[in-house]
Amino acid sequence: MTNDTVLQIEDLKTYFYTEQGEIPAVDGVTVSLQRGKVLALVGESGCGKSVTSYSILRLIRPPGKIVGGKILFFPSDGVEPVDIAGLDETSDALYSVRGGHISMIFQEPMTALSPVHTINNQISEAILLHQDVTPAQAREMAIEMLRKVGIPGAERRIDQYPHEMSGGMRQRVVIAMALVCNPEILIADEPTTALDVTIQGQILKLIKDLVSERGTSVVFITHDLGVVAQVADDVAVMYLGRVVEKSDVRGVLKTPLHPYTMSLLQSLPGLGHRGARLPAIRGSVPNLTDIPPGCPFHPRCPHAVRGRCDVGDRPALRTFSNGGQAACVRVEEIHPHVHEVGHSNDPRVAPATV
Amino acid sequence: MTNSTPAPQTPLLQVRHLCKYFPIMSKGFARKQIGAVKAVDDVNFDLMRGETLGLVGESGSGKTTCARTILRALAPTSGQAIFDTGDGVVDLAQVSEKDLKPLRQKMQMVFQDPFSSLNPRMTVGDIVGEPLVIHKLARGKELQDRVDEMLLKVGLRPEHRQRYPHAFSGGQRQRIGIARALIMKPSLVVADEAVSALDVSVQAQVINLLADLQDEFNLTYLFVAHDLSVVRHICDRVAVMYAGKIVELAESEELFENPRHPYSQALLSAVPSIDPDIKMNFDIGGEVADAGKLPPGCPFHPRCPHRFEPCDKVVPWLEPVEGSTTRTACHLYIPPEKIAAAGAAQAGSN
Ligand SMILES: Nc1ncnc2c1ncn2[C@@H]1O[C@H](COP(=O)(O)OP(=O)(O)OP(=O)(O)O)[C@@H](O)[C@H]1O
Ligand SMILES: Nc1ncnc2c1ncn2[C@@H]1O[C@H](COP(=O)(O)OP(=O)(O)OP(=O)(O)O)[C@@H](O)[C@H]1O
Ligand code: SF4
Ligand code: SF4
Ligand SMILES: [Mg+2]
Ligand SMILES: [Mg+2]
């Protein structure tokens, strides 16, 4: 870990308690976000990306609960780090984290927008809650922000209702709302998945500009590896509630270490020639109530070895000579050019953790 | 999905001047029509037997409406969809409801959402066998055998027959939807975003399955999708739609290597490459077209970096691009004298 970390998630566990039993949606996730960088969380549906991001803002509601770990936030004003996971539900500290320091763009724009209020009402409200300005000033700030996110005719649009806008425009309104308080950290949960590629490009550019112009740090959640390649500095790949590989973006996409990451990349169409069979991953993602023993990927892994991969605890994340980390016991056999250079500072690595 | 047997090139389907307009009504009590959404506007193409034609374009460009209008799930506003039944041709746009019913067996649709398109209260066996029951084509033991056979074909097991859809993963549900579509042995399969909701690892399995079934049954696919890398992988030819019209129709390789229409170029350049060292085009500018409020002339002209004098006046039409099999609807590729003649004609008709 370099010392310019803005967010350090350590061994986060968020479980849901349902009729089917305990669901370990996030089960020991350790990642850190560097100041002014974009960290991508990737993985297939249900692997725990959204639950991780909701946990950061303490938005987990029953039957879910953060049952372990730390979420350390290092504000830029140099004051003491805050453990968000430990804050009291009603504390001022949590209120200011949510209202100003960390903002979130939700997966579905309509969940963040009220259908019965105008755009002005909604953005101004966010401003007035946290900044000492008049409603007229708040309106001016809101218009300015709509312009920045590329909404044409912002003066006119500001008095419209969400249903009068296209999906791409609504998503930009949500982004404007998230940015209006000038957050230090932006959590963007699949912000472009529902959009056309041409509009997606505009939004990705906006986020990149934010990082370079304001030094905002971003947690970017997506399952689209192309988007990852274009926006991320660092990447954490999740599988069944755990991080199985992390590295910088080139490491993960160009020289992946973990067989799951390798298989994902190979199963993408467009690499081999047209019409050829795609090297699909066998089987499907197992249920969280029924996680395979040993390495949870072993039933689908082309490199699995009986007696090593299917027994014991899940493999620890280990750090390798190319700078990447992967949770696989066979990394150095599969990639003879790398060797282990020691354990990460991941507390999961300590033996005998469950 | 190329077809290795060089079948005689008779089109399975010929779409001609197909239009589907939705009325825009005024608000208030005395509702009257004040305009039209030209969701599909003068669409023309041929679909060859055994080929896979991709239909791509941004959200709202009319892909789903086009597919549904061809299958007569929507009544066309005008135009023709001439379908080769095997013993003669019929115009699907004209045929009566009664004559349509037997034809529906030959045309099946696979939907995007494997969760909502299957009836949760029916068992998998009932879902897959239902088309045979509706068309009174099989019952009893024969019905069961055909369902089992189809389940095996799509990689499910006969004992899955008793289970309900909720007990299956997304990829498995999509297989159930495919089994249901194929049990009628259709000649034409319309897949509307059939793999879009699936995770990458499962998506690859379903794409492979579609390819295998195409080989086995000589299926013809109309493949509607917004994921261009999937389209590139499986389609022989691709039609690019913009604002209700086909703006480029090309062989797949040709389109991806050498897109001609400025919209096709913008679309392809905006696809994020998974190589971090290949930068995508982040900002092609402008808003997605609104099919209810199209600009005059070329519908892409407000966003087009190449627009020139005739573009905001004359509507371009699909013209062959010289020295290629591609056809595109852009004035850059149309001789000036033709544009001028069309401009005069279009002005006269308004
Ligand atoms: N309220 C809840 N009750 C029970 N289980 C839940 C609840 N919310 C989430 N989960 C479970 O937690 C797991 C992780 O869900 P999460 O939404 O984080 O996935 P995701 O990675 O964001 O997936 P997607 O790509 O589909 O958005 C899922 O398996 C889900 O079933
Ligand atoms: N039943 C309807 N009534 C009115 N307008 C409709 C109806 N169905 C579709 N439209 C309009 O027709 C246009 C084309 O819609 P269509 O669903 O065919 O687009 P699409 O290309 O399939 O988009 P997507 O990629 O989002 O699925 C849109 O402007 C849409 O709003
Ligand atoms: S530990 Fe074994 S099963 Fe798991 S990813 Fe590595 S090789 Fe595959
Ligand atoms: S016709 Fe004109 S505006 Fe339309 S795509 Fe071609 S150059 Fe651009
Ligand atoms: Mg999610
Ligand atoms: Mg559609």
Side-chain angles (χ1 to χ4, degrees), chain B residues 99-171:
Chain B
D99 295 338
L100 199 58
K101 197 178 166 203
L103 287 172
R104 287 205 198 278
Q105 303 170 24
K106 299 185 191 290
M107 313 178 288
Q108 293 290 324
M109 196 142 176
V110 180
F111 295 94
Q112 164 165 18
D113 186 353
F115 299 92
S116 64
S117 61
L118 302 178
N119 184 339
R121 280 180 292 277
M122 283 168 73
T123 64
V124 167
D126 290 342
I127 290 171
V128 173
E130 190 182 43
L132 291 177
V133 175
I134 290 176
H135 292 285
K136 299 195 177 67
L137 292 175
R139 57 200 180 100
K141 177 85 173 69
E142 196 205 339
L143 177 64
Q144 238 180 50
D145 287 349
R146 286 185 59 182
V147 169
D148 289 355
E149 181 197 338
M150 208 59 233
L151 288 175
L152 284 170
K153 282 254 160 20
V154 300
L156 298 170
R157 288 193 302 272
E159 57 269 29
H160 287 146
R161 218 182 330 113
Q162 262 65 265
R163 293 207 215 152
Y164 291 88
H166 68 83
F168 292 89
S169 70

Side-chain angles (χ1 to χ4, degrees), chain A residues 49-51 107 189-190 221:
Chain A
K49 305 180 296 292
S50 293
V51 172
Q107 196 161 352
D189 190 358
E190 310 259 8
I221 294 164

Side-chain angles (χ1 to χ4, degrees), chain A residues 266-323:
Chain A
Q266 280 161 7
S267 64
L268 289 178
L271 298 175
H273 66 91
R274 190 169 66 85
R277 290 190 74 74
L278 291 168
I281 309 181
R282 65 171 175 248
S284 55
V285 180
N287 223 302
L288 280 172
T289 49
D290 196 16
I291 296 179
C295 171
F297 186 55
H298 84 256
R300 311 179 70 196
C301 180
H303 300 283
V305 172
R306 199 175 295 155
R308 284 176 65 200
C309 297
D310 55 354
V311 293
D313 289 340
R314 68 203 200 203
L317 262 186
R318 298 180 294 144
T319 304
F320 293 90
S321 50
N322 70 345

